[in-house]
Amino acid sequence: MILDRFERPLRNLRVSVTDRCNLRCSYCMPEQDYVWLPKDDILHFEEIERLVTLFTSLGVDKVRITGGEPLLRRNLPELIGRLAAISRIRDLALTTNGVLLRQQAAALREAGLHRLTISLDTLHADRFQALTRADELSRVLEGIDTATSLFPGFKIDTVVIRGVNDDELVDLVEYGRAHGAEVRFIEYMDVGGATHWSMDRVVSSREILERLAAHYGPVTAVPETSSAPATRYRLPDGLVFGIIASTTQPFCSDCDRSRLTADGMWYLCLYATAGLDLRKALREGGSLEAIGAQLRATWRARTDRGAEHRLALRDRSPLIALDSLRRDPHLEMHTRGG
Ligand code: SAM
């Protein structure tokens, strides 16, 4: 196991397979237009497979496919099949907005995908359209219906934003219950791309708990030993849900996650402004041993605690200005993969 400066292991890799998305969520992609990664730079499946295999030889055993919207990547089940064959991967998961899920869920399951997380912020069609600039709620709900039998126990991730969907907490918990899914509420984060972020729009974990307790009665924490970002809670009737309190209670001290962008940049923190170019190393014919040594040294030197540094700031405003995002799209959440 390779440990960083704070004894955090290299275990959890998020692999973005595209920076493109079919939604324009106001907390992630609020602008009219974007600078995309050059097509030729996007890693081929074979390159992703080689890099992921290398990461697993260094201790990674949890891999999550993300984006952009990963289901936009052509022939994605083929990549899932390649990764599912890597025996060191204990947990192979995917995060999707669900728009294209109905058509692809069976193929993903068949290819060997273990787990699925679906992002769903509202159950109201008009809100969905306002939030995402796409009239796709019904397709997402159909996708979720399909996932219910193919990926039992799947997760639903909801970014809670004050004045947008914070009146839907109970409805979403009940929707999750009806579909056998665990709902996880995510605090609105000031990551790159969230150019409309402000602290007063964040609904804190504490407030979410208070609101749910006011409806259901006392909520209790579920003891957890894993490094998973969500803290899990139980309602009096036994139903479990999660909260990812990345903004008000960061979990940097346990963070074993790193991120590979679709063009092969490796980032050690969601908030990091610089990464390591693995595509260049790979395409210039660098040996896997040499790249592995670079990964090992980079992780050992890791001191990132991005969310904690943000929390310590007095005046918190969007992380990165729009002109910097345009100069380097790697700073965007949709490029880095959430
Ligand atoms: N397109 C896929 C999806 O919608 O799940 C995968 C990529 S998306 C960037 C991954 C996750 O990041 C989603 O659950 C999204 O809600 C979350 N996300 C994006 N911007 C965020 C922000 N500013 N604060 C909190 N979560 C955010």
Side-chain angles (χ1 to χ4, degrees), residues 5-268:
R5 292 272 192 91
F6 298 122
E7 313 245 308
R8 299 169 297 186
L10 171 60
R11 284 201 54 195
N12 204 315
L13 183 69
R14 304 198 163 210
V15 179
S16 172
V17 292
T18 179
D19 56 331
R20 305 277 172 158
C21 193
N22 41 7
L23 299 183
R24 288 290 179 273
C25 299
S26 63
Y27 52 78
C28 187
M29 301 185 74
E31 310 308 329
Q32 283 309 318
D33 44 59
Y34 282 91
V35 177
W36 305 107
L37 299 176
K39 259 206 174 125
D40 288 347
D41 288 356
I42 303 297
L43 297 183
H44 308 301
F45 286 168
E46 192 256 334
E47 292 172 316
I48 296 175
E49 183 187 3
R50 287 178 73 199
L51 286 176
V52 172
T53 304
L54 179 60
F55 274 105
T56 61
S57 74
L58 301 175
V60 165
D61 61 2
K62 295 182 83 174
V63 173
R64 177 173 294 275
I65 303 301
T66 180
E69 172 46 39
L71 302 193
L72 287 176
R73 180 75 190 248
R74 201 173 306 152
N75 300 331
L76 186 67
E78 185 198 327
L79 176 68
I80 298 294
R82 287 171 179 248
L83 301 182
I86 302 173
S87 59
R88 284 198 178 105
I89 300 181
R90 226 174 18 93
D91 183 31
L92 179 61
L94 178 139
T95 299
T96 172
N97 62 30
V99 173
L100 300 172
L101 190 56
R102 190 173 62 83
Q103 301 92 306
Q104 297 194 31
L108 293 168
R109 174 93 261 183
E110 219 163 280
L113 183 67
H114 302 164
R115 293 193 306 119
L116 194 63
T117 300
I118 304 169
S119 301
L120 176 69
D121 301 320
T122 177
L123 295 166
H124 297 285
D126 53 342
R127 275 188 192 179
F128 188 96
Q129 170 135 35
L131 188 65
T132 66
R133 284 188 269 161
D135 184 14
E136 296 286 18
L137 179 65
S138 55
R139 280 219 282 170
V140 173
L141 298 183
E142 282 171 22
I144 293 179
D145 286 342
T146 312
T148 302
S149 54
L150 289 166
F151 294 94
F154 68 99
K155 298 208 167 70
I156 292 179
D157 277 5
T158 301
V159 181
V160 184
I161 303 182
R162 192 177 307 286
V164 173
N165 61 349
D166 55 329
D167 57 347
E168 289 190 62
L169 304 181
V170 170
D171 292 348
L172 285 158
V173 165
E174 292 307 320
Y175 179 84
R177 187 199 302 273
H179 290 80
E182 186 170 317
V183 175
R184 306 187 313 172
F185 297 110
I186 308 176
E187 289 180 352
Y188 186 10
M189 295 165 69
D190 54 344
V191 286
T195 46
H196 296 193
W197 184 92
S198 64
M199 194 64 207
D200 57 355
R201 305 191 75 197
V202 176
V203 182
S204 69
S205 161
R206 215 172 91 186
E207 192 175 339
I208 292 171
L209 286 172
E210 282 168 5
R211 290 201 197 183
L212 290 173
H215 181 86
Y216 289 105
V219 173
T220 47
V222 177
E224 201 80 58
T225 48
S226 84
S227 67
T231 307
R232 297 169 81 229
Y233 298 91
R234 186 170 281 119
L235 298 176
D237 64 15
L239 190 79
V240 171
F241 67 96
I243 302 184
I244 302 179
S246 354
T247 302
T248 67
Q249 295 166 40
F251 36 86
C252 303
S253 58
D254 278 336
C255 181
D256 57 7
R257 273 168 288 280
S258 65
R259 297 178 154 78
L260 185 66
T261 62
D263 65 342
M265 293 291 292
W266 186 43
Y267 288 93
L268 306 188

